[in-house]
Amino acid sequence: MTDTLSDLAFAVLTATDGDQKARLSVENAARWQNAEITQIGFAAAPDRPGRPERPPLLAPAEMPRRRGVSDKARATLLHAVLHIELNAIDLAWDMVLRFSDQGMPKAFFDDWVKVGAEEGKHFQLLQKRIRKLGFEYGDFPAHDGLWEAAFETRNNFAARLAIVPMVLEARG
Ligand SMILES: [Fe+2]
C-alpha cells in the first residue's frame, strides 16, 4: 500500500521520541515535496501527540527560573525553545491531518508540510547546540500548557494560524 500524506502526518504526530519526531518531520515533508507521495488520504488526528517520558511537564508557575550565564542556564533556555519547536512540529502536522478531508487545495498542504519541515530542522539544530553544552531535550522540565493552547484552537481556523508565531514562538 502506498502511503498518503495523512499517513505521514499521523506517523509524525504519534512518534514519541523528540529526535525521531523531528527526523520524520523533515523526511516525510521531503517525500511530499518530491511528489513521492501525492494522495492526501485521511486519518483522524490524535487529541494528544506522542511525547517522550522526559521532560516532565510542569504548570507554568512551577517552571524553574532561567538565570545567569552558565552553560546550564544557557541550556535551560535552549531547552524551553526546543520544547516549543517540538510542539510546533506537531501543530503543523495536526493542521495537515485535521483538514485532510475538508477539500482544501494542495497549496494548503504544501504550506503546512513546509512549516513541519522547518520546525523539524529547528528542533534538530537546537538539539545539536544543547548537546554541545552537555544536555539534551528531556533534561529539564518543560511547560505543560503549549499543546493545550494549540488544541483549544482546533476548531478556530484563524486562531490556529496565529498561534505558532503569536503564542508558541513568542513564549520562547
Ligand atoms: Fe521554529
PDB file of all heavy atoms in Angstrom, residues 106-125:
ATOM      1  N   LYS A 106      -4.239  21.948  -2.706  1.00  0.00           N
ATOM      2  CA  LYS A 106      -2.898  21.383  -2.493  1.00  0.00           C
ATOM      3  C   LYS A 106      -1.961  22.405  -1.830  1.00  0.00           C
ATOM      4  O   LYS A 106      -1.127  22.048  -0.996  1.00  0.00           O
ATOM      5  CB  LYS A 106      -2.315  20.914  -3.828  1.00  0.00           C
ATOM      6  CG  LYS A 106      -0.941  20.288  -3.694  1.00  0.00           C
ATOM      7  CD  LYS A 106      -0.435  19.712  -5.008  1.00  0.00           C
ATOM      8  CE  LYS A 106       0.992  19.191  -4.859  1.00  0.00           C
ATOM      9  NZ  LYS A 106       1.991  20.258  -4.719  1.00  0.00           N
ATOM     10  N   ALA A 107      -2.131  23.679  -2.197  1.00  0.00           N
ATOM     11  CA  ALA A 107      -1.254  24.723  -1.651  1.00  0.00           C
ATOM     12  C   ALA A 107      -1.347  24.782  -0.118  1.00  0.00           C
ATOM     13  O   ALA A 107      -0.362  25.086   0.560  1.00  0.00           O
ATOM     14  CB  ALA A 107      -1.617  26.079  -2.251  1.00  0.00           C
ATOM     15  N   PHE A 108      -2.521  24.510   0.420  1.00  0.00           N
ATOM     16  CA  PHE A 108      -2.697  24.491   1.870  1.00  0.00           C
ATOM     17  C   PHE A 108      -1.782  23.439   2.494  1.00  0.00           C
ATOM     18  O   PHE A 108      -1.064  23.709   3.464  1.00  0.00           O
ATOM     19  CB  PHE A 108      -4.173  24.180   2.190  1.00  0.00           C
ATOM     20  CG  PHE A 108      -4.445  23.965   3.655  1.00  0.00           C
ATOM     21  CD1 PHE A 108      -4.717  25.033   4.494  1.00  0.00           C
ATOM     22  CD2 PHE A 108      -4.426  22.680   4.193  1.00  0.00           C
ATOM     23  CE1 PHE A 108      -4.964  24.832   5.848  1.00  0.00           C
ATOM     24  CE2 PHE A 108      -4.675  22.469   5.547  1.00  0.00           C
ATOM     25  CZ  PHE A 108      -4.938  23.545   6.375  1.00  0.00           C
ATOM     26  N   PHE A 109      -1.799  22.254   1.910  1.00  0.00           N
ATOM     27  CA  PHE A 109      -0.967  21.169   2.450  1.00  0.00           C
ATOM     28  C   PHE A 109       0.517  21.447   2.215  1.00  0.00           C
ATOM     29  O   PHE A 109       1.349  21.188   3.079  1.00  0.00           O
ATOM     30  CB  PHE A 109      -1.402  19.828   1.850  1.00  0.00           C
ATOM     31  CG  PHE A 109      -2.813  19.468   2.227  1.00  0.00           C
ATOM     32  CD1 PHE A 109      -3.864  19.647   1.334  1.00  0.00           C
ATOM     33  CD2 PHE A 109      -3.098  19.013   3.506  1.00  0.00           C
ATOM     34  CE1 PHE A 109      -5.176  19.356   1.699  1.00  0.00           C
ATOM     35  CE2 PHE A 109      -4.396  18.717   3.892  1.00  0.00           C
ATOM     36  CZ  PHE A 109      -5.438  18.887   2.987  1.00  0.00           C
ATOM     37  N   ASP A 110       0.825  21.999   1.038  1.00  0.00           N
ATOM     38  CA  ASP A 110       2.227  22.369   0.755  1.00  0.00           C
ATOM     39  C   ASP A 110       2.768  23.290   1.851  1.00  0.00           C
ATOM     40  O   ASP A 110       3.885  23.100   2.340  1.00  0.00           O
ATOM     41  CB  ASP A 110       2.336  23.104  -0.596  1.00  0.00           C
ATOM     42  CG  ASP A 110       2.123  22.179  -1.781  1.00  0.00           C
ATOM     43  OD1 ASP A 110       2.159  20.942  -1.601  1.00  0.00           O
ATOM     44  OD2 ASP A 110       1.921  22.698  -2.893  1.00  0.00           O
ATOM     45  N   ASP A 111       1.963  24.279   2.220  1.00  0.00           N
ATOM     46  CA  ASP A 111       2.405  25.257   3.214  1.00  0.00           C
ATOM     47  C   ASP A 111       2.656  24.604   4.575  1.00  0.00           C
ATOM     48  O   ASP A 111       3.684  24.849   5.210  1.00  0.00           O
ATOM     49  CB  ASP A 111       1.350  26.355   3.389  1.00  0.00           C
ATOM     50  CG  ASP A 111       1.372  27.365   2.255  1.00  0.00           C
ATOM     51  OD1 ASP A 111       2.316  27.321   1.447  1.00  0.00           O
ATOM     52  OD2 ASP A 111       0.450  28.190   2.182  1.00  0.00           O
ATOM     53  N   TRP A 112       1.728  23.775   5.029  1.00  0.00           N
ATOM     54  CA  TRP A 112       1.880  23.185   6.355  1.00  0.00           C
ATOM     55  C   TRP A 112       2.966  22.126   6.390  1.00  0.00           C
ATOM     56  O   TRP A 112       3.660  21.962   7.408  1.00  0.00           O
ATOM     57  CB  TRP A 112       0.537  22.663   6.883  1.00  0.00           C
ATOM     58  CG  TRP A 112      -0.307  23.805   7.326  1.00  0.00           C
ATOM     59  CD1 TRP A 112      -1.401  24.314   6.677  1.00  0.00           C
ATOM     60  CD2 TRP A 112      -0.079  24.649   8.465  1.00  0.00           C
ATOM     61  NE1 TRP A 112      -1.869  25.411   7.363  1.00  0.00           N
ATOM     62  CE2 TRP A 112      -1.087  25.636   8.449  1.00  0.00           C
ATOM     63  CE3 TRP A 112       0.867  24.670   9.484  1.00  0.00           C
ATOM     64  CZ2 TRP A 112      -1.162  26.637   9.430  1.00  0.00           C
ATOM     65  CZ3 TRP A 112       0.794  25.649  10.463  1.00  0.00           C
ATOM     66  CH2 TRP A 112      -0.206  26.618  10.430  1.00  0.00           C
ATOM     67  N   VAL A 113       3.143  21.440   5.277  1.00  0.00           N
ATOM     68  CA  VAL A 113       4.246  20.477   5.202  1.00  0.00           C
ATOM     69  C   VAL A 113       5.581  21.221   5.289  1.00  0.00           C
ATOM     70  O   VAL A 113       6.509  20.789   5.985  1.00  0.00           O
ATOM     71  CB  VAL A 113       4.146  19.655   3.891  1.00  0.00           C
ATOM     72  CG1 VAL A 113       5.438  18.912   3.609  1.00  0.00           C
ATOM     73  CG2 VAL A 113       2.964  18.682   3.977  1.00  0.00           C
ATOM     74  N   LYS A 114       5.643  22.369   4.632  1.00  0.00           N
ATOM     75  CA  LYS A 114       6.862  23.185   4.669  1.00  0.00           C
ATOM     76  C   LYS A 114       7.133  23.673   6.101  1.00  0.00           C
ATOM     77  O   LYS A 114       8.281  23.648   6.579  1.00  0.00           O
ATOM     78  CB  LYS A 114       6.707  24.378   3.716  1.00  0.00           C
ATOM     79  CG  LYS A 114       7.949  25.210   3.545  1.00  0.00           C
ATOM     80  CD  LYS A 114       7.813  26.135   2.327  1.00  0.00           C
ATOM     81  CE  LYS A 114       8.967  27.105   2.265  1.00  0.00           C
ATOM     82  NZ  LYS A 114       8.595  28.471   2.682  1.00  0.00           N
ATOM     83  N   VAL A 115       6.084  24.098   6.777  1.00  0.00           N
ATOM     84  CA  VAL A 115       6.238  24.516   8.180  1.00  0.00           C
ATOM     85  C   VAL A 115       6.758  23.334   9.007  1.00  0.00           C
ATOM     86  O   VAL A 115       7.685  23.486   9.805  1.00  0.00           O
ATOM     87  CB  VAL A 115       4.900  25.043   8.767  1.00  0.00           C
ATOM     88  CG1 VAL A 115       5.025  25.285  10.269  1.00  0.00           C
ATOM     89  CG2 VAL A 115       4.474  26.323   8.052  1.00  0.00           C
ATOM     90  N   GLY A 116       6.169  22.162   8.786  1.00  0.00           N
ATOM     91  CA  GLY A 116       6.611  20.967   9.511  1.00  0.00           C
ATOM     92  C   GLY A 116       8.091  20.696   9.298  1.00  0.00           C
ATOM     93  O   GLY A 116       8.829  20.402  10.255  1.00  0.00           O
ATOM     94  N   ALA A 117       8.538  20.802   8.058  1.00  0.00           N
ATOM     95  CA  ALA A 117       9.956  20.572   7.742  1.00  0.00           C
ATOM     96  C   ALA A 117      10.841  21.587   8.468  1.00  0.00           C
ATOM     97  O   ALA A 117      11.871  21.243   9.053  1.00  0.00           O
ATOM     98  CB  ALA A 117      10.184  20.660   6.233  1.00  0.00           C
ATOM     99  N   GLU A 118      10.412  22.848   8.445  1.00  0.00           N
ATOM    100  CA  GLU A 118      11.215  23.907   9.078  1.00  0.00           C
ATOM    101  C   GLU A 118      11.291  23.716  10.598  1.00  0.00           C
ATOM    102  O   GLU A 118      12.367  23.847  11.186  1.00  0.00           O
ATOM    103  CB  GLU A 118      10.629  25.286   8.740  1.00  0.00           C
ATOM    104  CG  GLU A 118      10.975  25.707   7.318  1.00  0.00           C
ATOM    105  CD  GLU A 118      10.158  26.898   6.818  1.00  0.00           C
ATOM    106  OE1 GLU A 118       9.329  27.435   7.587  1.00  0.00           O
ATOM    107  OE2 GLU A 118      10.359  27.269   5.651  1.00  0.00           O
ATOM    108  N   GLU A 119      10.169  23.401  11.197  1.00  0.00           N
ATOM    109  CA  GLU A 119      10.171  23.206  12.655  1.00  0.00           C
ATOM    110  C   GLU A 119      11.019  21.978  13.027  1.00  0.00           C
ATOM    111  O   GLU A 119      11.712  21.977  14.049  1.00  0.00           O
ATOM    112  CB  GLU A 119       8.747  23.066  13.205  1.00  0.00           C
ATOM    113  CG  GLU A 119       7.807  24.223  12.889  1.00  0.00           C
ATOM    114  CD  GLU A 119       8.278  25.583  13.383  1.00  0.00           C
ATOM    115  OE1 GLU A 119       9.342  25.685  14.000  1.00  0.00           O
ATOM    116  OE2 GLU A 119       7.569  26.571  13.122  1.00  0.00           O
ATOM    117  N   GLY A 120      10.970  20.963  12.183  1.00  0.00           N
ATOM    118  CA  GLY A 120      11.816  19.787  12.410  1.00  0.00           C
ATOM    119  C   GLY A 120      13.292  20.157  12.379  1.00  0.00           C
ATOM    120  O   GLY A 120      14.083  19.704  13.220  1.00  0.00           O
ATOM    121  N   LYS A 121      13.657  21.004  11.423  1.00  0.00           N
ATOM    122  CA  LYS A 121      15.058  21.445  11.330  1.00  0.00           C
ATOM    123  C   LYS A 121      15.441  22.305  12.526  1.00  0.00           C
ATOM    124  O   LYS A 121      16.555  22.204  13.041  1.00  0.00           O
ATOM    125  CB  LYS A 121      15.280  22.224  10.023  1.00  0.00           C
ATOM    126  CG  LYS A 121      15.451  21.312   8.824  1.00  0.00           C
ATOM    127  CD  LYS A 121      15.539  22.091   7.516  1.00  0.00           C
ATOM    128  CE  LYS A 121      15.153  21.193   6.352  1.00  0.00           C
ATOM    129  NZ  LYS A 121      14.696  21.976   5.176  1.00  0.00           N
ATOM    130  N   HIS A 122      14.522  23.168  12.958  1.00  0.00           N
ATOM    131  CA  HIS A 122      14.807  23.984  14.154  1.00  0.00           C
ATOM    132  C   HIS A 122      15.104  23.073  15.357  1.00  0.00           C
ATOM    133  O   HIS A 122      16.040  23.319  16.104  1.00  0.00           O
ATOM    134  CB  HIS A 122      13.609  24.885  14.512  1.00  0.00           C
ATOM    135  CG  HIS A 122      13.278  25.904  13.471  1.00  0.00           C
ATOM    136  ND1 HIS A 122      12.099  26.605  13.465  1.00  0.00           N
ATOM    137  CD2 HIS A 122      13.969  26.335  12.389  1.00  0.00           C
ATOM    138  CE1 HIS A 122      12.081  27.423  12.421  1.00  0.00           C
ATOM    139  NE2 HIS A 122      13.201  27.274  11.745  1.00  0.00           N
ATOM    140  N   PHE A 123      14.280  22.056  15.524  1.00  0.00           N
ATOM    141  CA  PHE A 123      14.487  21.132  16.650  1.00  0.00           C
ATOM    142  C   PHE A 123      15.860  20.477  16.539  1.00  0.00           C
ATOM    143  O   PHE A 123      16.606  20.393  17.515  1.00  0.00           O
ATOM    144  CB  PHE A 123      13.380  20.062  16.685  1.00  0.00           C
ATOM    145  CG  PHE A 123      13.483  19.143  17.883  1.00  0.00           C
ATOM    146  CD1 PHE A 123      12.802  19.417  19.059  1.00  0.00           C
ATOM    147  CD2 PHE A 123      14.293  17.999  17.833  1.00  0.00           C
ATOM    148  CE1 PHE A 123      12.911  18.584  20.173  1.00  0.00           C
ATOM    149  CE2 PHE A 123      14.412  17.155  18.938  1.00  0.00           C
ATOM    150  CZ  PHE A 123      13.719  17.446  20.112  1.00  0.00           C
ATOM    151  N   GLN A 124      16.196  20.018  15.336  1.00  0.00           N
ATOM    152  CA  GLN A 124      17.485  19.329  15.142  1.00  0.00           C
ATOM    153  C   GLN A 124      18.669  20.253  15.421  1.00  0.00           C
ATOM    154  O   GLN A 124      19.647  19.844  16.042  1.00  0.00           O
ATOM    155  CB  GLN A 124      17.565  18.776  13.712  1.00  0.00           C
ATOM    156  CG  GLN A 124      16.625  17.584  13.499  1.00  0.00           C
ATOM    157  CD  GLN A 124      16.578  17.108  12.065  1.00  0.00           C
ATOM    158  OE1 GLN A 124      16.704  17.887  11.128  1.00  0.00           O
ATOM    159  NE2 GLN A 124      16.378  15.804  11.871  1.00  0.00           N
ATOM    160  N   LEU A 125      18.563  21.510  14.957  1.00  0.00           N
ATOM    161  CA  LEU A 125      19.663  22.469  15.176  1.00  0.00           C
ATOM    162  C   LEU A 125      19.844  22.769  16.668  1.00  0.00           C
ATOM    163  O   LEU A 125      20.961  22.813  17.177  1.00  0.00           O
ATOM    164  CB  LEU A 125      19.382  23.772  14.426  1.00  0.00           C
ATOM    165  CG  LEU A 125      19.582  23.725  12.907  1.00  0.00           C
ATOM    166  CD1 LEU A 125      18.994  24.980  12.257  1.00  0.00           C
ATOM    167  CD2 LEU A 125      21.068  23.582  12.566  1.00  0.00           C
TER     168      LEU A 125
END
